[in-house]
């Protein structure tokens, strides 16, 4: 168990440092938001770009992995959406609740943990997960929200508008730039390559610091039923479904499979409250993010212990 804590404790210590930095007013919320912008717009795209140009594309684009992670996330999204609709929730709110359960914080928490567990395979998992989240899960949730908010706007019209906006997403730009660079076989000049390496190296610790700073000031209010649904689905059901699909589908690299389950066990995406607030559900999303992040220290540690107990690779 000590080796498990050796993995998870530094992750959550960095989150705690970010929390304390804002609490002690060494950093303001605005400064943390600036760091968040640095991670999303520069560090994570550089990390993904570097991974794509350093490996053959047939090692990166694993159809079984995409089927397991993409299919599992979609199944959970649909199930959560149907459950919320059955409970009488509106179209858009159901989509937001489903988003919280099926979109992991892959870049800010999932990747740093997975990198300590499986090493370089984690960044390949990150790139594939980002494609699933940014091309499937998030656009679907936003399209449901727009269709619910705007009278006369169909789901597919809202989905098309959302897809157009996503073409400016820095992470997706990093993915497609990496694919093009890998296909072309060009060799980047040393100064550019080293700059990308420096940005990529800064991604994980800065992201964890940002999560901690973001959590300061959040409060877990009422709405216990919705919050419990989202947190339970995200921390328990999401990694379980991904694990079962990976077990059922043809085998893939065990390290990559482990990374998929570990990243799926991360709490919901850090911008979840912002997306929820856009459609009038900010309080539920904020409370879910706060509780989910706090409980994830326990659930991720327990997951790593189970993986080790069943002798799955933790190299």
């Amino acid at each position: 168990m000590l080796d498990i804590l050796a993995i998870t404790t530094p992750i959550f210590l960095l989150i705690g440092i970010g929390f304390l930095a804002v609490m002690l007013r060494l950093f303001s919320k605005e400064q943390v938001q600036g760091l968040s912008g640095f991670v999303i717009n520069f560090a994570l795209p550089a990390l993904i770009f570097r991974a794509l140009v350093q490996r053959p594309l047939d090692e990166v684009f694993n159809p079984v992995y995409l089927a397991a992670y993409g299919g599992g996330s979609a199944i959970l999204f649909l199930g959560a959406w149907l459950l919320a609709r059955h409970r009488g929730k509106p179209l858009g709110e159901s989509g937001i609740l489903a988003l919280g359960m099926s979109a992991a914080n892959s870049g800010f928490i999932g990747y740093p943990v997975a990198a300590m567990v499986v090493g370089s395979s984690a960044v390949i998992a990150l790139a594939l997960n980002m494609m699933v989240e940014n091309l499937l899960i998030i656009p679907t949730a936003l399209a449901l929200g727009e269709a619910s908010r705007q009278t006369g706007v169909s789901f597919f019209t809202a989905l098309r508008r959302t897809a157009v906006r996503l073409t400016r997403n820095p992470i997706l730009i990093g993915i497609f730039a990496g694919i093009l660079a890998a296909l072309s076989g060009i060799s980047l000049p040393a100064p550019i390559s080293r700059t990308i390496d420096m940005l990529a190296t800064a991604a994980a610790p800065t992201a964890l610091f940002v999560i901690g700073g973001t959590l300061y000031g959040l409060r877990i209010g009422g709405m216990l039923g919705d919050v419990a649904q989202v947190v339970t689905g995200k921390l328990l059901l999401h990694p379980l479904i991904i694990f079962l699909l990976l077990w059922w589908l043809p085998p893939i690299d065990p390290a990559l499979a482990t990374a998929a389950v570990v990243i799926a066990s991360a709490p919901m995406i850090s911008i979840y409250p912002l997306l929820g607030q856009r459609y009038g559900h900010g309080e539920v999303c904020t409370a879910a993010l706060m509780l989910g992040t706090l409980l994830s220290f326990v659930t991720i540690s327990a997951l790593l212990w189970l993986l080790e107990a069943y002798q799955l690779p933790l190299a």
Side-chain angles (χ1 to χ4, degrees):
M1 190 63 186
L2 289 177
D3 54 342
I4 301 301
L5 293 177
I7 293 173
T8 56
T9 300
I11 299 295
F12 288 90
L13 280 177
L14 278 171
I15 293 175
I17 291 171
F19 185 92
L20 288 174
V22 178
M23 185 181 73
L24 298 175
R25 299 183 180 180
L26 300 175
F27 270 74
S28 66
K29 281 282 191 177
E30 290 73 20
Q31 289 172 317
V32 170
Q33 290 174 358
L35 286 176
S36 177
F38 165 75
V39 173
I40 293 173
N41 294 316
F42 297 98
L44 281 179
L47 178 71
I48 294 171
F49 179 89
R50 184 179 67 176
L52 292 174
V53 299
Q54 287 181 345
R55 296 195 181 200
L57 285 180
D58 58 350
E59 291 184 16
V60 175
F61 290 98
N62 190 308
V64 175
Y65 185 103
L66 286 172
Y69 199 90
S73 300
I75 289 170
L76 181 57
F77 184 98
L78 178 60
W81 183 79
L82 290 173
L83 175 61
R85 293 290 284 165
H86 178 72
R87 294 173 55 206
K89 300 292 184 182
L91 182 71
E93 184 177 356
S94 299
I96 292 298
L97 294 176
L99 173 66
M101 297 172 67
S102 56
N105 195 334
S106 301
F108 282 23
I109 294 181
Y111 166 72
V113 177
M116 296 187 70
V117 175
V118 300
S120 60
S121 295
V123 73
I124 301 302
L126 172 64
L128 295 173
N129 291 1
M130 287 290 187
M131 293 182 67
V132 170
E133 291 158 3
N134 287 282
L135 294 176
L136 176 63
I137 302 300
I138 295 176
T140 303
L142 295 183
L144 288 169
E146 291 294 334
S148 177
R149 187 173 66 170
Q150 300 180 19
T151 305
V153 176
S154 70
F155 167 75
F156 292 103
T157 299
L159 183 61
R160 177 177 55 81
R161 292 175 181 174
T162 302
V164 171
R165 287 197 298 269
L166 284 173
T167 59
R168 300 188 293 272
N169 185 306
I171 291 174
L172 289 180
I173 291 173
I175 291 173
F176 292 122
I179 293 172
L180 291 176
L183 288 174
S184 67
I186 63 173
S187 180
L188 297 176
I192 295 178
S193 179
R194 289 171 185 165
T195 301
I196 292 173
D197 287 343
M198 293 171 69
L199 286 171
T201 303
T206 309
L208 294 170
F209 183 93
V210 166
I211 285 293
T214 302
L215 288 179
Y216 179 76
L218 298 185
R219 296 291 182 266
I220 300 174
M223 311 150 292
L224 184 60
D226 291 339
V227 171
Q229 175 186 328
V230 173
V231 172
T232 301
K234 184 67 217 61
L235 299 183
L236 300 181
L237 291 182
H238 197 198
L240 177 61
I241 293 173
I242 302 301
F243 173 82
L244 291 175
L245 284 176
L246 286 168
W247 175 75
W248 179 68
L249 291 168
I252 61 173
D253 176 14
L256 196 58
T258 301
V261 177
V262 169
I263 294 177
S265 71
M268 56 288 300
I269 53 177
S270 59
I271 60 171
Y272 187 50
L274 298 179
L275 297 178
Q277 187 176 25
R278 180 175 179 178
Y279 302 107
H281 312 298
E283 292 183 356
V284 172
C285 298
T286 298
L289 177 64
M290 179 71 172
L291 184 60
T293 304
L294 292 175
L295 291 180
S296 66
F297 176 76
V298 177
T299 57
I300 291 175
S301 298
L303 171 67
L304 296 183
W305 178 82
L306 287 172
L307 292 176
E308 185 179 52
Y310 284 94
Q311 300 182 341
L312 293 176
L314 294 172

